[in-house]
Amino acid sequence: MEKVASFSAPCFPPCALLGRPRGASRALRPRVTGGAVVRRGSGGVWAEKSFCRGISSDERPKRPLTGYFRFLKENRSGFRQKNPEMSNAELIRKIAGAWKVLPASQKQVYEEARKTDWQRYEEQLATYKAQLTPAQAEALREERRRQLARRRLFKAKRELTVLGKPKRPRTGFNIFVSEHFKESEGVSPMAKLKQLFEGWRKLSNSQKQPYLQLAEDDKVRYENEMTLWETKMVELGREDLIRSKKQRSKKKSVETAKQAETAKASSHENKAKLKLEKSEE
């Protein structure tokens, strides 16, 4: 089988190339209800954006900076001038080190400024909340819940990256995109992806087979790496990151079914050969 080269390229599900969320219908349109724009797909609500007439979360008073972030904001430009060769991450670490050894008397100046701003913030927040209607207040609370959920998801993904969780297996289409992305025509990445999606749809089953085989190999790679990674997580006391037995047994049952189907096909083929040999005799 011809080896298919691969390199990093954006990977999207095919429905993303069509400009709509997974499972959503083109005919569906957003509707306004209870002070919010709600979009629904076949799987229920797939997107909701707060929409409060005359007010938005951008108008909400901003929480005052902590003492450390005041110190960072005040001294960052000075540290940058003294260390122009440093990356942003290195510069932040250097400023954090300077804050750590800063005398308590100097830290107190920044903390007192925070306390003064905090009192003003609470007054402004009370005024802001007083002008909200019940529907607006609920819409903004919902927006806040979504923001916190996105933040928790981002932190969880970052933690998994730090812990070295294996990358999920690619599909045949993803591998096809990786091979042809640079050479495809299109001004924007999305235009290229749409062109590649159409090219993938036009391929025959035999032309798709090399990519599908590589995808199957990648699944084996993923399962092997996940087994080793989960063993390591158990040793670290992070059983909460292990896939449930139900998930693993489901994957095994699918693999067993495929093996049984292959064995069955092979058995039928052997029987046919035997019949043919007997008839020739």
Side-chain angles (χ1 to χ4, degrees), residues 88-206:
N88 286 331
E90 292 171 336
L91 190 68
I92 294 299
R93 282 196 292 269
K94 189 173 183 65
I95 297 174
W99 170 260
K100 190 174 181 180
V101 299
L102 195 70
S105 58
Q106 295 183 37
K107 285 185 179 180
Q108 187 62 30
V109 175
Y110 295 100
E111 293 298 336
E112 289 297 331
R114 185 196 70 82
K115 289 180 182 179
T116 301
D117 282 355
W118 188 266
Q119 292 177 353
R120 182 167 56 250
Y121 163 74
E122 288 184 327
E123 294 172 0
Q124 293 174 346
L125 185 61
T127 303
Y128 171 78
K129 288 182 176 180
Q131 64 180 323
L132 298 178
T133 66
Q136 289 172 336
E138 179 56 32
L140 290 173
R141 280 194 294 271
E142 180 60 28
E143 182 178 348
R144 178 63 176 168
R145 284 192 288 269
R146 287 197 306 275
Q147 289 174 349
L148 292 174
R150 285 195 296 269
R151 197 172 299 170
R152 285 193 295 269
L153 180 61
F154 173 76
K155 287 182 178 179
K157 287 184 176 179
R158 184 171 58 184
E159 181 186 26
L160 292 175
T161 301
V162 171
L163 291 172
K165 185 176 181 180
K167 292 185 178 180
R168 295 185 65 83
R170 296 181 299 167
T171 65
F173 172 68
N174 291 151
I175 296 171
F176 173 78
V177 169
S178 296
E179 182 185 1
H180 299 286
F181 186 77
K182 285 186 177 180
E183 64 193 46
S184 62
E185 298 178 359
V187 178
S188 66
M190 187 57 67
K192 288 187 174 186
L193 287 167
K194 286 184 177 180
Q195 184 201 35
L196 288 170
F197 178 63
E198 290 301 322
W200 173 259
R201 289 178 62 184
K202 293 176 182 178
L203 291 181
S204 64
N205 291 336
S206 60

Side-chain angles (χ1 to χ4, degrees), residues 13-44:
C15 57
L17 308 181
L18 301 178
R20 65 184 189 277
R22 201 177 308 191
S25 170
R26 290 174 185 242
L28 295 174
R29 293 292 181 266
R31 63 185 179 85
V32 178
T33 176
V37 173
V38 180
R39 300 175 186 270
R40 293 184 178 273
S42 58

Side-chain angles (χ1 to χ4, degrees), residues 249-267:
S249 62
K250 184 178 179 182
K251 288 189 176 182
K252 286 183 179 179
S253 63
V254 171
E255 291 173 0
T256 304
K258 286 183 178 179
Q259 292 173 359
E261 188 177 345
T262 304
K264 187 177 180 181
S266 178
S267 175

